[in-house]
Amino acid sequence: MSIETQVINIDGMTCGGCVKSVDSALTQLDGVQSVEVDLEGNKASVAYDSSAVAVDAIVEAIEEAGFDAVVAGE
């Protein structure tokens, strides 16, 4: 098991409900260990098992929840 942490920039979050939506979408993914969503910073820090889930799947889950997402630094 290889735990990595990735910051994902998220556009479109406006309230605590948005934070809950993102958190819920990510915690349902197999391999995601923890999620910290920062509403003011428009980002999420995700700790995940890279052998169980790809960062692309994390971004896709956020987008399916209704937000624009991109890996920080890309």
Side-chain angles (χ1 to χ4, degrees), residues 8-74:
I8 310 292
N9 293 327
I10 306 169
D11 285 331
M13 293 191 304
T14 58
C15 64
C18 297
V19 170
K20 287 181 182 175
S21 292
V22 170
D23 186 73
S24 175
L26 295 179
T27 54
Q28 290 178 23
L29 291 176
D30 287 339
V32 171
Q33 303 293 313
S34 67
V35 177
E36 290 182 32
V37 182
D38 177 2
L39 178 61
E40 289 182 15
N42 292 313
K43 62 187 176 184
S45 178
V46 184
Y48 65 99
D49 177 356
S50 60
S51 67
V53 65
V55 72
D56 290 346
I58 292 169
V59 169
E60 187 176 311
I62 295 168
E63 291 177 342
E64 287 178 0
F67 305 96
D68 292 325
V70 65
V71 175
E74 287 191 358

